[in-house]
Amino acid sequence: METRSLVGTERMDTKIISGSERKGHKRKLADTSLGLVAADGPNNHLILDVRNQIEVLKGCTSWREADRVAARRAAHSLAELAKHEEHVETIVDEGAVDALVPHLCAPLVEEGGGPISCEHEVEKDAAFALGLLAVKPEHQRLIADAGALPLLVSLLVRKVCASNARVVNGVVRRAADAITNLAHENANIKSRVRTEGGIPPLVELLESTDTKVQRAAAGALRTLAFKNEANKNQIVEKNALPTLIFMLRSEDVGIHYEAVGVIGNLVHSSVNIKKEVLNAGALQPVIGLLSSRCQESQREAALLLGQFATTDPECKVHIVQRGAVRPLIRMLEAQDPQLREMAAFALGRLAQNTHNQAGIVHDGGLRPLLELLDSKNGSLQHNAAFALYGLADNEDNVSDIVKEGGVQRLQDGDLIVQASKDCVQKTLKRLEEKIHGRVLKHLLYLMRSNEKVVQRRVACTLAHLCTPDDQRSIFIEHNGMDVLLEMLLAFSLPKLQRDGALALHRLATKANNSSPLDTTPQPPTPQVYLGEQYVNNNTLSDVTFLVEGKRFYAHRIALLASSDAFRAMFDGGYREKEAKDIEIPNISWKVFELMMRCIYTGAVEVLTDVAQDLLRAADQYLLEGLKRLCELTIAKDLTVENVANVYDLAEAYHAISKLDRADHSGDSRLSASNFETTGLCASNFETTATPVQILLKTILNQEVPYAV
């Protein structure tokens, strides 16, 4: 039997004599077994046994009873041996095919002779044995070239009467099974079966009163229809569709499974046949199979519905109206991954309709589809991703996707196939385009929810997907920033903390990218600097600092002009006022030298490796311009991993400047004087805000003046 693929609308073949179907053949044979046991001894015993049976078949070709009984036993023995795939090559190599094929037809009876003993029995066992030997393409070709096909077709038309119904049905069934195996994945033999006239009798056998014959005939037609347009057309022309559709409603699992398989292969890549199948009334019984107790039938039905959904827009609506969505959603949570995949495939095609999109989410399809993204099966992931892409097209679904954590799942998914990754990116883009107007208002409403999980999911989603124009409203006026900061403090929940950090990082990036870069010359500043030549120069030095045991020469006038901290130190009541040497115990020489260079020149290069230590020193000595330089360097190096550390740093040292696009500056040597006019309008924020809240909220505040 040939079944359809589990990826997209492609199909693939699986031989009925291997895997589960080979087990089915063993079970069928047990019903008519003569009790012979296959040779399990060494290989030479197998060869001897095979040769003996072949000799019997070649020598016993007459109609007489002794020959017929012997031929039947020999054919049956070879079939028993051929059940073991490791024996097949040996059986074929010893010449069993040429010995078996002549026994597919009854021998001629001499005038006055008869009746033929074991009538139909020898042919049945010969057909069965040949079907089991057709496991390789070269075996299939060998059997066909030996003349088996016309003989097998002739067996299909043997007439049944009351006295011989059991045995004739048996030989017909074995002949249909043999044709199935011979034609499996063999385009040439599929066409030869048609030219030998095999399709019309197989279509007639669909109406057999014997259910095993029905199944065998449907299985053969299923294989013959696979990727063979001429065979498909002839099957339809011979009026197989009405009977196949009746079979879909059968209580017999085997019958409706084979019937849905035939129809599936008929409609595959055949638009016209697909329309004929729908016009013949197949839609409702196929939907009914979604609730079959047979998972294979469910899987085939889901795949077929996915293909029906591509016929025309109205068909998508009809499938949903007739009740397909809920059983498909139940299938998404089945244990069988192929069943889940086909359900996702069908829902993905149905989700190309606006009303269907809302209905699938309403009936509970969103959560299991999101969970399928975590599957380790690439095809399953892709079908789920495609279905979610469809659901994201409806504005009514956006808030549900956000509430379920859909954006985070889409971003975090470990997708196997590049096509799935591309589909997810398109889905996120589609969601981003819809976050405005009533959708945004609904999300802001949800962010006021009492459920922390919902608050966090909404805030993170908006951080990633909202437009720059909406950032201030969302994260300042509607307190979205507070939600993200709370996540950042969740030290016991690394995943939650990382999501918050990622959202804050995204906000910072978007704000930086949206902030215009001011490249106009800076206005002159009244500040006067002593100059580079006086840095750590004892000329006219009147104060010395001891840093890491070394002397650093300085000038009080330069220090007094630089900050209130030094003015308090030298003009106030502190002991440093009269001291000649002042010890600096908590700052390294490198950092102290950079700080003094900034004081003397108004400019300094702040590198990433010293930025945080230099920020601490600048905060200690109230050097606001230098703090801004340090904050810019830190902002340039802001990543998801270090957002929490920057948070702590800002909290400790009151770093409240705007995170600017320092990485776009052509020169990393920035003037401290550029930041003297940089400030924050208190009216822009709540007076109760902490320094770190101000730091992060200024990411979004477009009213704060700044300079580069």
Side-chain angles (χ1 to χ4, degrees):
M1 175 189 63
E2 300 192 18
T3 59
R4 289 164 290 164
S5 163
L6 297 172
V7 181
T9 59
E10 294 298 318
R11 297 163 182 263
M12 68 180 179
D13 302 353
T14 54
K15 295 189 179 183
I16 66 169
I17 61 167
S18 61
S20 62
E21 285 299 325
R22 178 171 283 278
K23 294 176 183 176
H25 272 258
K26 290 179 183 177
R27 175 175 47 76
K28 291 176 183 177
L29 185 63
D31 296 338
T32 57
S33 173
L34 297 180
L36 298 179
V37 180
D40 292 323
N43 193 52
N44 58 335
H45 291 169
L46 171 64
I47 293 173
L48 181 61
D49 193 7
V50 171
R51 288 176 179 175
N52 288 337
Q53 306 307 330
I54 290 173
E55 287 301 317
V56 170
L57 289 172
K58 289 181 177 180
C60 300
T61 58
S62 75
W63 59 272
R64 292 183 175 84
E65 182 176 359
D67 281 355
R68 294 290 287 173
V69 170
R72 180 190 178 191
R73 289 184 178 276
H76 187 76
S77 294
L78 288 176
E80 287 289 315
L81 293 173
K83 287 182 182 181
H84 303 271
E85 288 192 32
E86 66 271 19
H87 296 168
V88 169
E89 198 74 40
T90 299
I91 296 170
V92 173
D93 289 345
E94 291 299 323
V97 170
D98 288 335
L100 285 165
V101 169
H103 289 276
L104 292 175
C105 61
L108 295 175
V109 180
E110 296 176 359
E111 187 176 349
I116 299 176
S117 180
C118 300
E119 188 176 11
H120 309 297
E121 296 284 2
V122 178
E123 295 86 5
K124 180 185 74 172
D125 287 326
F128 187 32
L130 288 168
L132 291 172
L133 295 177
V135 293
K136 293 182 178 180
E138 56 268 31
H139 297 170
Q140 295 168 339
R141 185 170 56 253
L142 179 65
I143 295 168
D145 291 345
L149 289 179
L151 298 177
L152 288 169
V153 170
S154 68
L155 293 179
L156 296 176
V157 297
R158 290 205 171 180
K159 300 300 180 183
V160 178
C161 62
S163 60
N164 67 1
R166 184 188 65 81
V167 67
V168 171
N169 283 333
V171 71
V172 169
R173 177 163 57 93
R174 294 306 187 194
D177 287 342
I179 289 173
T180 298
N181 285 13
L182 285 169
H184 168 70
E185 290 186 342
N186 194 313
N188 178 263
I189 292 180
K190 288 177 186 178
S191 296
R192 289 174 65 178
V193 171
R194 183 184 71 254
T195 58
E196 293 290 349
I199 289 178
L202 286 169
V203 171
E204 290 184 15
L205 290 173
L206 293 177
E207 299 190 25
S208 170
T209 57
D210 187 294
T211 56
K212 292 181 179 179
V213 172
Q214 277 188 306
R215 290 200 299 266
L221 289 171
R222 180 178 190 167
T223 296
L224 295 172
F226 183 71
K227 293 183 179 179
N228 191 304
E229 292 302 315
N231 285 0
K232 290 182 186 181
N233 291 332
Q234 190 174 88
I235 292 170
V236 174
E237 289 167 3
K238 294 301 177 182
N239 204 32
L241 290 181
T243 306
L244 287 169
I245 291 171
F246 289 142
M247 292 169 67
L248 292 176
R249 298 182 182 274
S250 172
E251 293 296 323
D252 188 305
V253 168
I255 289 178
H256 67 232
Y257 168 64
E258 294 294 356
V260 73
V262 180
I263 293 174
N265 284 348
L266 286 173
V267 305
H268 175 59
S269 301
S270 300
V271 176
N272 291 334
I273 294 179
K274 192 184 300 182
K275 291 179 179 178
E276 286 192 53
V277 169
L278 288 170
N279 291 336
L283 184 55
Q284 195 61 50
V286 170
I287 292 173
L289 288 182
L290 295 176
S291 302
S292 168
R293 66 181 185 277
C294 171
Q295 287 191 345
E296 289 79 5
S297 296
Q298 288 180 295
R299 186 171 65 240
E300 290 288 337
L303 177 56
L304 191 51
L305 288 174
Q307 293 177 318
F308 285 160
T310 63
T311 306
D312 58 64
E314 287 189 2
C315 191
K316 295 181 179 67
V317 177
H318 295 162
I319 292 171
V320 173
Q321 289 174 336
R322 289 168 177 258
V325 169
R326 290 187 179 180
L328 285 171
I329 291 173
R330 287 196 296 270
M331 288 166 62
L332 290 176
E333 300 179 293
Q335 293 297 316
D336 182 1
Q338 293 181 347
L339 197 59
R340 298 200 302 272
E341 183 183 344
M342 285 302 95
F345 168 77
L347 289 170
R349 274 64 195 168
L350 294 174
Q352 304 311 302
N353 172 275
T354 300
H355 297 297
N356 291 354
Q357 293 158 1
I360 291 169
V361 171
H362 176 76
D363 285 337
L366 178 59
R367 180 177 296 177
L369 284 171
L370 288 169
E371 290 173 351
L372 293 184
L373 293 178
D374 297 330
S375 166
K376 302 304 180 184
N377 182 312
S379 300
L380 183 52
Q381 282 183 342
H382 184 66
N383 280 293
F386 183 75
L388 291 167
Y389 173 71
L391 298 183
D393 194 37
N394 191 311
E395 287 188 352
D396 292 331
N397 291 342
V398 174
S399 58
D400 291 291
I401 293 172
V402 173
K403 284 172 61 179
E404 284 292 341
V407 172
Q408 288 73 39
R409 281 183 177 269
L410 290 167
Q411 291 173 329
D412 296 343
D414 184 14
L415 302 174
I416 299 169
V417 182
Q418 184 59 45
S420 302
K421 298 176 183 178
D422 295 340
C423 187
V424 163
Q425 291 306 311
K426 291 178 182 178
T427 303
L428 291 170
K429 183 64 177 176
R430 179 171 274 183
L431 290 169
E432 182 178 11
E433 292 170 350
K434 296 188 181 304
I435 296 182
H436 59 81
R438 69 182 181 92
V439 174
L440 178 57
K441 289 179 180 178
H442 190 195
L443 291 174
L444 292 175
Y445 173 79
L446 291 176
M447 202 160 61
R448 301 199 302 269
S449 167
N450 292 328
E451 297 182 45
K452 290 290 187 182
V453 172
V454 174
Q455 286 183 3
R456 293 163 180 165
R457 287 172 175 174
V458 173
C460 286
T461 295
L462 292 175
H464 287 280
L465 302 184
C466 75
T467 65
D469 292 342
D470 292 323
Q471 288 179 337
R472 179 178 173 82
S473 170
I474 296 167
F475 293 98
I476 296 176
E477 297 171 7
H478 289 86
N479 301 318
M481 185 62 69
D482 295 334
V483 177
L484 297 180
L485 292 175
E486 184 180 353
M487 294 173 65
L488 206 61
L489 292 172
F491 298 106
S492 61
L493 300 171
K495 175 63 169 64
L496 183 62
Q497 190 178 43
R498 184 182 183 282
D499 287 345
L502 187 64
L504 288 167
H505 179 260
R506 178 61 178 155
L507 277 178
T509 302
K510 289 166 71 174
N512 287 343
N513 290 340
S514 66
S515 300
L517 202 60
D518 184 2
T519 59
T520 58
Q522 298 301 313
T525 173
Q527 176 113 12
V528 177
Y529 302 101
L530 289 185
E532 177 77 22
Q533 68 272 25
Y534 287 101
V535 176
N536 196 19
N537 188 333
N538 61 3
T539 302
L540 300 177
S541 172
D542 55 0
V543 63
T544 303
F545 293 98
L546 297 177
V547 183
E548 293 184 342
K550 296 186 289 185
R551 293 183 181 277
F552 194 101
Y553 299 100
H555 307 78
R556 290 175 187 261
I557 189 171
L559 301 176
L560 287 168
S562 66
S563 80
D564 290 339
F566 284 116
R567 281 192 285 274
M569 180 185 294
F570 296 125
D571 288 345
Y574 296 101
R575 58 186 176 86
E576 287 88 353
K577 178 178 181 180
E578 304 298 335
K580 178 67 176 177
D581 296 331
I582 301 172
E583 185 174 1
I584 304 297
N586 59 345
I587 301 177
S588 70
W589 175 272
K590 181 177 181 180
V591 169
F592 189 80
E593 182 183 30
L594 287 171
M595 182 181 76
M596 298 302 286
R597 191 174 300 281
C598 182
I599 290 172
Y600 275 76
T601 67
V604 69
E605 183 178 12
V606 180
L607 300 179
T608 303
D609 61 336
V610 296
Q612 294 193 16
D613 290 336
L614 193 56
L615 174 64
R616 295 183 182 94
D619 181 73
Q620 179 178 337
Y621 288 101
L622 305 180
L623 300 170
E624 294 301 319
L626 181 57
K627 283 180 65 176
R628 301 298 179 266
L629 292 175
C630 296
E631 290 163 13
L632 273 177
T633 299
I634 294 169
K636 286 168 55 179
D637 192 46
L638 189 64
T639 66
V640 174
E641 288 73 20
N642 68 17
V643 164
N645 292 333
V646 173
Y647 178 106
D648 294 337
L649 191 71
E651 183 91 341
Y653 297 104
H654 308 287
I656 58 176
S657 73
K658 182 180 181 64
L659 295 179
D660 203 353
R661 293 173 62 190
D663 53 316
H664 287 249
S665 174
D667 185 0
S668 60
R669 295 178 58 83
L670 303 174
S671 172
S673 64
N674 293 344
F675 294 89
E676 289 181 357
T677 59
T678 300
L680 296 174
C681 302
S683 61
N684 290 337
F685 308 106
E686 303 89 331
T687 57
T688 58
T690 65
V692 70
Q693 287 173 314
I694 296 175
L695 165 69
L696 294 171
K697 285 182 178 180
T698 51
I699 293 172
L700 309 174
N701 187 351
Q702 302 303 313
E703 297 180 8
V704 176
Y706 70 100
V708 177

